[in-house]
Amino acid sequence: MRESSHREFEGTVLEDRVEQIRSSFPILSRAVHEHPLVYLDNAASSQKPDVVIDRISRYYREQHSNVHRGVHALSQEATDAYEEARDTVCEFIGADDRSEIIFTKGTTDAINLVAFSYAGRMLEEGDEIVLTQMEHHSNIVPWQLACEISGAIIKVVPVEEDGSLNYEEYEKSLSERTRLVAVTHVSNSLGTVNPVKRMISDAHGLDIPVLIDGAQAVSHMPVNVCELDADFYCFSGHKMYGPTGIGVLYGKQELLNRMPPYQGGGDMIESVSFEGSSFNSLPHKFEAGTPNIAGAIGLAAAMDFIRETGFDFITDHETRLLHHAHEKLQAFDRLRIIGTAPEKISVVSFLLGDSHPYDVATLLDRLGIAVRSGHHCTQPVMARYGIPGTVRASFALYNTIDEIDVLAEGLERAEGILF
Ligand code: C6P
């Protein structure tokens, strides 16, 4: 087979597979403003496949009870399903031990847990926390709060014009005063993939622990926390085809064991009296109160779905989508893409001339195209480019080349109205 027809053949096979996958996401067949929905807001939250919806429904229909609290059959069943979900997460991210998997409300909650439990205990006046200019507010504000309490300070690694991290500045930012590096694996507003393995290794050279915000990574690429040697790794279920209100903090056992509880309440204790309380072992020490049982079970179903779909397919297909989107959008004279780092995935942020991102997003919405507009909770990186925000199209495994063509047609129409 000639090279070009071979590529065509591969493309057709991928498209057939995508159509098959799309049919398992019920929401994708609905219309918006009388147009077929083109959902390109996956970095904000992805849609849910039948297997996740059905699993949550089955849990509530057949298995619901509280966990770790009853000898009766339903409580045992719910506990088994919840703890099996933890095993699924452990395997999915390649953790060493299930006790290192803490269920949280999401990435934000996971980062706050570390900021207040780990950093709260360890930080002293003059200590330093290293962040980057491309962090989501969830990986900035908790550290600002921790610094307010402790007198520690934040150092910020700048971003280059193309959206890559300035690595030299990163190296220079590490010192004997650095107590933690907290960095996003993938930028939600630029799509940049940071060289986190190298960053972790450099930080570890100075005995500095590293927290990775994996919110935008885990649904797009295989992540193995042990291979990365990450000390903490945080992510949300709802961006990876799972439910809202559930997320994960992975932490190395040795660090989690040294950390005090983040919140007090039921299930996180060993014994309680008015003279004092002792705490449960990992991971329960960090899961106070009745957890999001259905959320954890739904998240495990989402992980099974991703695993069955396979990262080979996901990365191949999403790379094609990203390249096609760049090609299509670059054809607009007045369109400026923000974030063109060589290592980039699944997000295209742009401005159309001097038009406001909200206006562009509103016009696209009238055509059934869902994109996000604004600062994407990353105001510092917007300030870096001197812009208030962008229009952002972000891709998932169910998006198609045709949908990107629809986006380009929509932009042509928006351009016709705005200019
Ligand atoms: N970004 C976006 O549209 P939560 O809200 O806790 O599930 O995730 C917070 C978060 C943390 N880090 C990164 C890199 C993120 O992208 C997000 C969420 C969404 O880009 C909503 S603001």
Side-chain angles (χ1 to χ4, degrees), residues 212-408:
I212 305 292
D213 171 353
Q216 299 293 347
V218 278
S219 69
H220 302 293
M221 58 169 87
V223 168
N224 184 306
V225 290
C226 286
E227 270 173 26
L228 290 176
D229 202 17
D231 299 282
F232 299 105
Y233 197 97
C234 312
F235 57 96
S236 303
H238 70 99
K239 293 182 199 291
M240 57 186 309
Y241 315 110
T244 52
I246 188 78
V248 171
L249 167 67
Y250 158 81
K252 282 184 182 163
Q253 212 176 59
E254 175 254 327
L255 290 171
L256 292 173
N257 270 326
R258 275 175 22 214
M259 287 160 53
Y262 169 47
Q263 292 179 324
D267 218 28
M268 52 75 71
I269 51 85
E270 190 181 59
S271 79
V272 176
S273 74
F274 281 108
E275 285 66 53
S277 304
S278 59
F279 306 123
N280 205 338
S281 55
L282 290 176
H284 310 293
K285 182 171 89 171
F286 292 107
E287 292 181 4
T290 300
N292 184 351
I293 308 162
I297 292 169
L299 173 61
M303 287 178 166
D304 287 342
F305 165 78
I306 292 176
R307 207 174 32 209
E308 274 157 33
T309 307
F311 274 113
D312 284 352
F313 164 77
I314 294 171
T315 52
D316 266 16
H317 176 58
E318 291 184 357
T319 305
R320 274 175 82 230
L321 294 174
L322 184 70
H323 287 165
H324 191 66
H326 267 243
E327 221 172 274
K328 281 288 193 181
L329 299 192
Q330 271 159 354
F332 287 78
D333 284 341
R334 49 166 71 87
L335 190 146
R336 176 182 167 207
I337 295 179
I338 310 290
T340 52
E343 295 301 322
K344 174 177 175 172
I345 54 170
S346 288
V347 164
V348 187
S349 259
F350 59 90
L351 289 166
L352 193 58
D354 59 0
S355 62
H356 198 287
Y358 289 147
D359 293 338
V360 178
T362 305
L363 290 168
L364 292 175
D365 174 59
R366 299 309 302 173
L367 302 169
I369 305 164
V371 292
R372 187 172 170 190
S373 55
H375 52 62
H376 316 301
C377 303
T378 54
Q379 284 183 345
V381 84
M382 296 297 138
R384 150 75 181 81
Y385 290 99
I387 55 176
T390 68
V391 183
R392 182 188 71 182
S394 51
F395 312 119
L397 52 75
Y398 44 62
N399 288 124
T400 64
I401 295 286
D402 285 351
E403 286 184 310
I404 288 164
D405 294 343
V406 172
L407 169 69

Side-chain angles (χ1 to χ4, degrees), residues 108-136:
T108 305
D109 193 33
I111 296 173
N112 273 278
L113 193 164
V114 180
F116 288 94
S117 172
Y118 182 71
R121 163 159 296 196
M122 156 200 78
L123 290 176
E124 287 172 9
E125 185 143 3
D127 284 348
E128 293 171 359
I129 298 199
V130 170
L131 308 178
T132 82
Q133 209 171 16
M134 69 177 94
E135 297 311 314
H136 187 278

